[in-house]
Amino acid sequence: MVPTKVLMAAVAFTLAVGAAPAMGHHAFAAEFDADRPVKLTGKVTRMEWINPHAWIHMEVAKEDGSTEIWMVESGSPPSLFRRGFTKDSLMPGTEIVVDGFQAKDRSNKCAGRTVTYTNGERLFLGSSGTGAPRDSADPSEPPNR
């Protein structure tokens, strides 16, 4: 038999751990709008190689000549490295075009799908299977039918 105090301590521990807020991974549709595609052209100002998503910060020129800073959410650093990125791929000053989907709150934040360099090289940024639109950007994704 398990002593009552040990059993009560185990139950209390289980309840305390279960009551802690869970840090889950958000689905694409929770934060981004599949009906608001964006194409951003500009220069990288900073790259954050952090989990669970790497972030590209870029300066984008507006039609009136002013600029604005955008944050582009991408896949995790390991997934980007598997797709051909290196730590030197997105250094400050690198000119890129990002295709993605704007945040639902209309802020200057988007979920990136692809990045295209000035030489035409294109790399996949996003993740599939999280509610992101199936747009053939992910080379590992089966074609749309």
Side-chain angles (χ1 to χ4, degrees):
M1 288 303 253
V2 176
T4 304
K5 287 184 179 183
V6 172
L7 183 59
M8 288 179 68
V11 168
F13 175 77
T14 301
L15 289 174
V17 170
M23 296 298 287
H25 185 270
H26 66 258
F28 172 92
E31 190 169 355
F32 301 102
D33 188 343
D35 294 325
R36 291 195 54 89
V38 294
K39 182 181 282 284
L40 306 172
T41 301
K43 291 184 180 184
V44 174
T45 60
R46 180 168 56 120
M47 180 70 189
E48 293 182 274
W49 294 100
I50 57 175
N51 279 315
H53 297 279
W55 287 90
I56 303 165
H57 299 261
M58 60 186 294
E59 185 177 68
V60 177
K62 295 172 53 174
E63 288 182 20
D64 66 7
S66 64
T67 60
E68 57 190 12
I69 300 296
W70 278 74
M71 293 175 60
V72 179
E73 180 180 282
S74 64
S76 68
S79 69
L80 293 178
F81 292 137
R82 285 192 300 271
R83 294 179 184 128
F85 284 88
T86 69
K87 291 275 188 176
D88 297 326
S89 294
L90 294 168
M91 299 298 289
T94 304
E95 293 185 29
I96 58 172
V97 175
V98 171
D99 288 292
F101 299 92
Q102 190 170 16
K104 285 184 172 183
D105 66 5
R106 306 291 197 252
S107 63
N108 291 353
K109 185 167 58 170
C110 75
R113 289 295 277 168
T114 59
V115 63
T116 305
Y117 295 95
T118 55
N119 68 2
E121 181 183 5
R122 185 174 171 204
L123 293 171
F124 180 66
L125 285 174
S127 57
S128 56
T130 60
R134 292 192 50 186
D135 57 5
S136 302
D138 182 352
S140 67
E141 186 176 81
N144 289 337
R145 294 203 166 119

